[in-house]
Amino acid sequence: MVPSDAAPSPTTFIDVLFGWAVSFITMLSHLLNGYLTAFFVFTGIILNLLSVSIFLRKERAGTPAIQYYLVTLTLWQTALLANAFLLYSFPNLWWGHLVSQGTYVYLYPYVYTFANTTHTGSVWIVLTLTIDRYLALCQPLKHRAIGKKRRVRRLMVAVSIMAIVFSIPRFFEVHVVLLCERSEHNCVAAIDRTELFDNRLYWTIYHVILAMVFVTLLPCLILFALTLRISIALRSAIAKRKSLCAPNSDIDTRCKSMKSSRYNSSRKDHKSNIMLVLVIAKFLVSDILPTVIDVLEHLVGQSAFMRSPLASLFVDISNFLIVLNCSSNFWVFFVWGKRFRRSCRKCIKSTHIGACIYDMAQWNTDSEVSLCAPSSFTTVNVTKAYGSTERSFRYKRNMELIVSRTDDTSSTTNPSRT
């Protein structure tokens, strides 16, 4: 019998659609793990090192204790970016996919361990920073006794050491084995799990209980609750400040024109608190998806979770969100930190290339000002080109008053001149 031509069944269409979805997920994972991760890793490392240099360039006597949190967090996040590049980005760029065999896998036990260490350290540093801001805004008396520079330095060192100790078991979860086909001369290195990783008791205690309590679920809940409480405290502080200076009144005009040190310091503290809340909220948003994925993996089972292409895509997205968070703190510091912007401008102008770029930017904003030498226009209209300080206006007003008083006295003493 000759088989007749059968019409395409719905199963064939579903298979084609499933194959297209798998290929699209593979392409998107390669894009996330390869090019996008590499771009944000390199830009993030450069900007993080610039941020650390700006924080450390300031005088030690005038360095606030909060900068120790920011420097430690930036260093941990820079190390996390380097490990993400070695673990995900470089294999995708060089081989087109993640590799499990070859000479490169000898790095995996160290990179895998240190990647988890850097993530744990970042979570704990952000958690201590959130607790510090909560005490500073909601319980200032306790914060004065705890938030001293020496104690903050010791706390950062202790938290870093505890993160390293907590992540040591990760090193014994994977190892490199040699796979030989026919003879011992034709062997290839491959990464494999150890018996410790497959131990049910170890998995339950370390990966489920300890990881959820100290790294994923409980820290996220504490961060969310404290961030919400800090946001409420900041809103109440803004409302209280507006109630002290009512709008459309003479008091409001005096409050706006007031330049006392107490008023300026309160405004700086308020902006710095908003900046730190943004850093904490950004970290919380980037860490929610890895926490949800970790909980789903424990509920579904690791073997079933790893076989799903959609679950692998969610893991890649969560890793990319962590990389994006670690590479974007500079822009939060730059937008909300006036002192940071000033220090960044000085740091850029200290180099020859940075000075040329800064002069070109100034020339583009005001084409009348010469870059080579001060012209007569620049000398006469210096306050118009670059702005003037309050002291210059006050000095000019005092000089006008002195001249007017001398004219009045001269007119009264010499009536013959009139």
Side-chain angles (χ1 to χ4, degrees), residues 43-58:
T43 56
I45 289 176
I46 294 173
L47 294 178
N48 286 347
L49 293 179
L50 179 61
S51 301
V52 172
S53 64
I54 289 173
F55 286 139
L56 297 179
R57 279 167 64 97
K58 297 180 180 180

Side-chain angles (χ1 to χ4, degrees), residues 260-396:
S260 62
S261 59
R262 184 176 179 182
Y263 179 72
N264 291 331
S265 62
S266 63
R267 288 189 61 187
K268 291 179 181 179
D269 293 339
H270 179 69
K271 289 186 176 181
S272 64
N273 287 325
I274 294 178
M275 180 187 70
L276 296 174
V277 169
L278 289 177
V279 172
I280 297 168
K282 183 168 61 67
F283 180 87
L284 183 61
V285 170
S286 67
D287 209 57
I288 286 177
L289 185 58
T291 303
V292 173
I293 291 175
D294 189 71
V295 174
L296 289 177
E297 183 179 0
H298 295 323
L299 294 177
V300 176
Q302 186 181 9
S303 59
F305 185 83
M306 295 301 295
R307 287 196 301 266
S308 175
L310 190 60
S312 300
L313 179 62
F314 284 157
V315 172
D316 296 332
I317 293 174
S318 66
N319 293 332
F320 178 72
L321 288 177
I322 293 175
V323 170
L324 186 63
N325 168 62
C326 296
S327 61
S328 57
N329 282 339
F330 172 85
W331 303 111
V332 179
F333 300 152
F334 188 82
V335 172
W336 287 93
K338 184 177 181 180
R339 187 182 300 175
F340 184 85
R341 287 197 303 270
R342 189 184 303 115
S343 301
C344 185
R345 183 169 60 250
K346 290 181 181 179
C347 183
I348 293 175
K349 290 175 66 176
S350 62
T351 61
H352 180 70
I353 299 176
C356 293
I357 296 175
Y358 182 79
D359 291 339
M360 291 178 64
Q362 291 296 111
W363 181 75
N364 288 329
T365 54
D366 193 355
S367 59
E368 299 292 338
V369 180
S370 176
L371 294 176
C372 300
S375 61
S376 59
F377 180 85
T378 308
T379 307
V380 175
N381 300 284
V382 63
T383 56
K384 294 182 179 180
Y386 298 101
S388 57
T389 60
E390 185 186 2
R391 184 178 298 177
S392 61
F393 285 115
R394 190 179 300 171
Y395 176 77
K396 183 178 179 181

Side-chain angles (χ1 to χ4, degrees), residues 404-417:
S404 62
R405 289 176 181 176
T406 53
D407 292 340
D408 294 338
T409 54
S410 61
S411 61
T412 55
T413 53
N414 297 322
S416 59
R417 291 184 181 181

Side-chain angles (χ1 to χ4, degrees), residues 20 41 45 86 112-113 118 121 126 144 220 227 240 251 266 289 294 322 337 344 354 399:
W20 179 84
V41 161
I45 289 176
L86 294 176
Y112 169 74
T113 304
T118 52
V126 172
R144 290 180 182 178
C220 281
T227 305
K240 185 176 181 180
I251 300 177
S266 63
L289 185 58
D294 189 71
I322 293 175
C344 185
M399 292 299 296

